[in-house]
Amino acid sequence: MAARLAAVFVVAAAALLGTPGTSAQTSPAPSAAGQARPKIGLVLSGGGARGITHIGVLKVLHELRIPIDYIAATSMGAIVGGLHASGMPAAEMERQLGAVSWPTLLSDSPERRDLEFRRKEEQAAFPLSFEIGYRDGEFRWSKGALSGANLELYLHELTRNVDSIDNFDKLPIPFRAVATNMVSGREVVFSSGRLYQAMRASMSVPGMFAPMEIDGRILGDGGLVNNLPVDVVRAMGADIVIAVNIGTPLMSRDQLQSLVGYASQMLNILTEQNVRQQLASLKPTDILISPDLGALTFMDFAAAPQFVELGEKAADAVRTELAALAVTPTQYAAYEAHLRAPPGKLPTELDFVTVEGTHYANPEVLEARMATRPDAPFKLKTLEADLARLYGRGDFDQIDYELTSVGAQTGVVVKVLEKSWGPNYLRFGASLSTDFQGETFFNLMAGHRRVWVNSLGAEWVNELVLGSTRRIATEFFQPLAVGSEWFASAYGVAQRSPEFIFDGDTRLAEYDVLYETAGLDVGRTLGTAGDIRGGLKWAHYRGDRTIGEAAYPTILTTETGARLMLRWDRLDQPYFARNGLRAVGEFFYGNRRTQLLGLDLRDSSSRASMVVDGAWPFTNDTFLNVQARVGAITNSHAQNVIEDFNLGGFLQLSGLRTNQISGNYMGFARAVGYRQIATLPVVGRAIYVGGSLETGNTWDNRDQISANLRTAGALFLAADTWLGPFYLGWGIASGGQRSYYLYLGRL
């Protein structure tokens, strides 16, 4: 301890005699004896989620009154270090990063409420977020698992107060961020530019985040070349270095059991080598903090509070050495006052709003859909909401904004980077279900979306399903004017699927049902929440008996008429929702022709149905979902088994066989509770246990509708996976029927 104190005073004396490297922006705070104190440089290493540990270290440095003169950092360390360099205190940083939705931040989707409604429908149909593009005669895909647009927007929001500072030496704390030139393999040290872009570039983990292109350079994670940039902070002028090393340790032999494991180990080895070189450069006067993070990994963002606590613990372990660098309360108050950078001044009105960077998208459409306009008072929150909605269209890899002046005019320039793999997108999915009683269904699904077919933003969407259900569907969606909420839609569907006829628990027959429909709608989008549409619809049904006695005939039905549909979706997730409401209502009225047993029956027909789903949280990890469904078919003829309403199967009167009961009228309600018991790394998001209470029935005629409802319930283990929901469940119905179920993919 005495030797360390002596070294500190030697360095202080050297600083008095004119040690080079003193920042021109701030003068060193005098020590208690009136001498210039040594300049202190803070080095924060990369390590993914482990980098949140740095916040705990910063909290202890604040508690001990240790001023920081320079910060150099890499990857997640660059994010923590950049925020602190912009003037954000550790306590505020802990609050901000503790409140953020990490699943959203580390994804390419905005909050679901900001998704365009058509993208919500696509997300529910194809839960797997992986997207392949087709452009210029070749298949393309993203440069990384994630574009990082959500992260970049978030960092810009947190550092907006220093947007006007492009020289990092003029930040409240001079700062450097380290990235890697992915072409030359050389180190890139950011000393100027946009702070949030430097932070984001430094954290471009290969394979996880797409690299950033800045000034013609393709930039990846700085940990590849310098994960603990001691040399960088020393070059800035630091006399004493406080280095915090939280890098991921090398995996053991037992952990190297997969391709992913070997790939991760390769990156760890590269990082470990450059970290050792930097550790070897530390001097006796420097302080190294190496938190023991145990088994916590670079992906454990949900453990943010634990990381902060471990950072405090590690800094406490060298509290004596750190305390030697403390200044007086008065001096530290003056230092902190200097850190409080005033927020950037915002205009009250705008002269222009423009969108730049488009190639196939029409900027006029994008500008017209923004609430930020030259003819309205400027509000930053409105602009941020506009950016979220534009990103929620699904067209862009990155999106950003800049407040700028052109002569005497002030405006906003929204800069977009279209997906390099568009404008044709392919998505894939699969579903599997069985009740372990002989009813097993398996489907493979592919979806195609072509955006910006014309300058108004038309889309052409197609779907192909192969398996137990065979389906091909297409829709052409056409906005009616630039920026208009009104649209026209032409669609067509051809589908074959099995339908069953039961007598009690006994299956009597199986039909192969062909369903064909086409129509033309005119409608209006309801913001990002839904749409309402109405138009002409033609539908044809043909049911051919495949199993059963000859008494079950072929059935042909054709309907022509008008339909009205309302769709509304504010659920926060398509599956395992935690809050929000979803509703779908449809009404059809028209003429109907049925051919059955030599009869040619013609009459009018109407069909109405409504499904409402609501979700509410009980606690942070326990949730309730309530669903209600009703339906009615009215006509003058008997029940038609190929087009009526069905109940039976998992969570649809559990315990009964799939679609065991059917009728022209249907009523159903259920309450499902589920509790998250674990996270699901790599292949999904979370694991749940839960149960349901269900009631409902179907009736052939309206006068049969009564309180004679069936009841059922289920217990299940479930997971929210990248392929969709997974369930392993058991159900029981009021008649004593029991069944086990396995589901994977959309229900």
Side-chain angles (χ1 to χ4, degrees):
M1 177 62 194
R4 184 175 294 277
L5 286 174
V8 170
F9 285 117
V10 169
V11 175
L16 253 181
L17 294 174
T19 301
T22 301
S23 170
Q25 186 217 357
T26 58
S27 300
S31 68
Q35 299 174 322
R37 65 172 177 81
K39 288 299 195 69
I40 300 172
L42 179 65
V43 179
L44 305 178
S45 79
R50 296 163 68 94
I52 300 174
T53 307
H54 296 313
I55 299 175
V57 174
L58 289 174
K59 291 178 68 176
V60 174
L61 296 181
H62 169 77
E63 177 189 341
L64 293 175
R65 302 192 308 275
I66 298 174
I68 301 300
D69 299 288
Y70 310 104
I71 299 176
T74 299
S75 198
M76 188 65 185
I79 290 180
V80 174
L83 293 177
H84 195 55
S86 73
M88 183 178 291
E92 173 64 12
M93 203 182 308
E94 181 181 18
R95 188 189 69 80
Q96 291 281 359
L97 296 184
V100 72
S101 170
W102 289 105
T104 299
L105 200 63
L106 302 177
S107 75
D108 278 344
S109 291
E111 293 283 354
R112 196 166 187 268
R113 66 173 179 269
D114 295 320
L115 277 181
E116 190 174 73
F117 177 70
R118 294 175 61 79
R119 300 292 79 78
K120 293 179 184 179
E121 295 289 291
E122 182 181 45
Q123 184 188 70
F126 296 93
L128 183 64
S129 59
F130 181 70
E131 189 176 63
I132 296 176
Y134 185 79
R135 185 174 186 173
D136 299 330
E138 63 180 13
F139 290 100
R140 302 185 179 192
W141 47 87
S142 170
K143 299 174 184 177
L146 300 171
S147 71
N150 283 335
L151 176 62
E152 188 174 342
L153 283 171
Y154 181 67
L155 295 177
H156 192 180
E157 178 186 341
L158 295 183
T159 60
R160 191 188 58 78
N161 63 306
V162 294
D163 264 0
S164 61
I165 300 176
D166 57 9
N167 182 344
F168 293 175
D169 283 334
K170 295 183 179 180
L171 291 169
I173 302 177
F175 175 70
R176 299 290 185 271
V178 177
T180 301
N181 187 316
M182 299 302 289
V183 175
S184 67
R186 296 182 180 276
E187 176 182 88
V188 176
V189 179
F190 281 96
S191 60
S192 62
R194 306 298 292 272
L195 176 61
Y196 67 93
Q197 290 183 341
M199 296 157 64
R200 161 66 180 88
S202 184
M203 197 183 170
S204 299
V205 181
M208 180 178 177
F209 286 112
M212 284 195 71
E213 186 170 342
I214 300 178
D215 298 331
R217 298 175 297 183
I218 299 176
L219 303 172
D221 193 276
L224 297 173
V225 290
N226 196 349
N227 200 48
L228 189 70
V230 174
D231 57 339
V232 174
V233 81
R234 213 182 294 280
M236 294 174 73
D239 301 311
I240 295 177
V241 173
I242 301 174
V244 188
N245 180 27
I246 48 83
T248 303
L250 298 180
M251 291 185 288
S252 66
R253 181 186 182 92
D254 293 338
Q255 293 172 310
L256 293 175
Q257 300 296 327
S258 67
L259 180 62
V260 174
Y262 281 106
S264 298
Q265 186 78 327
M266 179 182 68
L267 294 175
N268 292 342
I269 290 172
L270 290 173
T271 301
E272 183 69 16
Q273 289 177 343
N274 66 62
V275 167
R276 287 175 182 171
Q277 294 174 357
Q278 296 297 324
L279 290 176
S281 72
L282 292 176
K283 301 176 181 180
T285 52
D286 299 329
I287 299 173
L288 174 63
I289 302 175
S290 298
D292 181 5
L293 303 181
L296 292 172
T297 72
F298 74 101
M299 288 297 295
D300 288 330
F301 288 95
Q306 189 175 353
F307 280 123
V308 173
E309 183 179 337
L310 290 171
E312 294 181 69
K313 181 179 179 181
D316 278 333
V318 291
R319 177 176 286 266
T320 303
E321 291 88 337
L322 291 172
L325 304 176
V327 297
T328 67
T330 301
Q331 293 166 345
Y332 195 73
Y335 163 80
E336 284 204 311
H338 164 73
L339 295 185
R340 299 189 186 100
K345 186 178 180 181
L346 294 174
T348 57
E349 295 182 351
L350 300 176
D351 298 301
F352 61 88
V353 177
T354 60
V355 175
E356 295 181 354
T358 61
H359 295 284
Y360 51 80
N362 182 357
E364 292 183 15
V365 172
L366 305 178
E367 292 162 8
R369 299 300 294 269
M370 295 177 61
T372 302
R373 302 176 184 275
D375 56 357
F378 175 70
K379 295 181 180 179
L380 184 62
K381 288 295 183 183
T382 302
L383 175 60
E384 291 171 349
D386 285 336
L387 297 180
R389 284 194 298 271
L390 291 181
Y391 187 50
R393 291 179 59 93
D395 299 330
F396 307 117
D397 199 10
Q398 293 180 347
I399 188 166
D400 194 11
Y401 73 92
E402 181 178 354
L403 291 167
T404 186
S405 296
V406 178
Q409 293 189 322
T410 300
V412 169
V413 177
V414 176
K415 299 179 179 181
V416 300
L417 178 64
E418 294 170 337
K419 291 180 176 178
S420 60
W421 57 99
N424 287 285
Y425 302 103
L426 301 175
R427 301 184 75 162
F428 302 93
S431 65
L432 168 69
S433 66
T434 180
D435 64 359
F436 298 99
Q437 298 186 62
E439 292 180 5
T440 298
F441 304 93
F442 177 72
N443 294 308
L444 294 175
M445 297 164 283
H448 164 259
R449 173 168 57 99
R450 169 63 162 95
V451 300
W452 294 100
V453 178
N454 54 43
S455 62
L456 295 182
E459 289 187 4
W460 183 34
V461 179
N462 302 285
E463 181 183 14
L464 176 66
V465 179
L466 298 175
S468 305
T469 297
R470 290 86 71 204
R471 172 185 170 91
I472 184 169
T474 188
E475 181 192 15
F476 192 85
F477 178 88
Q478 176 66 64
L480 297 182
V482 171
S484 174
E485 300 280 357
W486 291 93
F487 65 85
S489 168
Y491 61 91
V493 178
Q495 174 179 301
R496 282 191 177 273
S497 59
E499 294 286 346
F500 308 107
I501 298 177
F502 286 86
D503 182 10
D505 297 333
T506 303
R507 184 196 293 178
L508 299 179
E510 177 180 337
Y511 273 82
D512 179 53
V513 177
L514 170 66
Y515 169 66
E516 299 170 303
T517 186
L520 178 64
D521 286 337
V522 175
R524 190 179 193 278
T525 58
L526 305 175
T528 61
D531 65 17
I532 183 169
R533 56 171 64 198
L536 300 177
K537 177 181 177 181
W538 169 86
H540 172 70
Y541 304 82
R542 178 187 175 98
D544 293 304
R545 172 182 47 83
T546 56
I547 299 176
E549 298 179 359
Y552 293 97
T554 295
I555 305 172
L556 296 173
T557 298
T558 302
E559 292 179 331
T560 305
R563 76 155 181 177
L564 178 66
M565 175 182 283
L566 170 66
R567 299 184 293 179
W568 179 272
D569 188 347
R570 297 290 285 179
L571 292 176
D572 65 333
Q573 298 180 33
Y575 305 105
F576 304 105
R578 303 184 172 206
N579 61 69
L581 181 71
R582 179 178 183 269
V584 178
E586 184 174 9
F587 175 77
F588 171 85
Y589 181 82
N591 296 316
R592 169 170 150 168
R593 178 186 181 188
T594 301
Q595 295 171 282
L596 173 67
L597 295 173
L599 300 175
D600 192 345
L601 307 173
R602 300 169 185 263
D603 62 355
S604 62
S605 177
S606 64
R607 174 191 297 263
S609 63
M610 173 68 75
V611 180
V612 179
D613 268 296
W616 298 269
F618 275 129
T619 65
N620 289 335
D621 53 13
T622 305
F623 311 95
L624 174 67
N625 169 258
V626 175
Q627 182 187 96
R629 294 169 52 197
V630 294
I633 302 173
T634 61
N635 55 71
S636 59
H637 299 297
Q639 172 192 10
N640 188 337
V641 296
I642 66 171
E643 53 177 302
D644 53 13
F645 296 104
N646 301 304
L647 286 174
F650 184 58
L651 300 182
Q652 305 293 328
L653 291 183
S654 302
L656 299 184
R657 305 285 294 275
T658 301
N659 294 341
Q660 181 173 331
I661 60 175
S662 59
N664 283 337
Y665 297 86
M666 179 264 296
F668 174 76
R670 75 180 184 205
V672 182
Y674 38 96
R675 179 182 179 86
Q676 181 177 337
I677 58 173
T679 57
L680 187 63
V682 182
V683 297
R685 303 174 184 86
I687 300 174
Y688 300 89
V689 294
S692 70
L693 295 175
E694 309 153 32
T695 185
N697 209 341
T698 63
W699 303 272
D700 293 339
N701 301 301
R702 184 166 55 185
D703 55 11
Q704 295 176 334
I705 299 175
S706 68
N708 183 23
L709 299 177
R710 297 172 182 248
T711 58
L715 299 173
F716 58 80
L717 174 70
D720 191 1
T721 77
W722 299 125
L723 286 175
F726 166 83
Y727 287 95
L728 181 61
W730 172 82
I732 182 171
S734 54
Q737 300 94 330
R738 295 175 173 83
S739 188
Y740 291 93
Y741 301 96
L742 184 147
Y743 274 83
L744 176 62
R746 66 187 191 192
L747 290 175

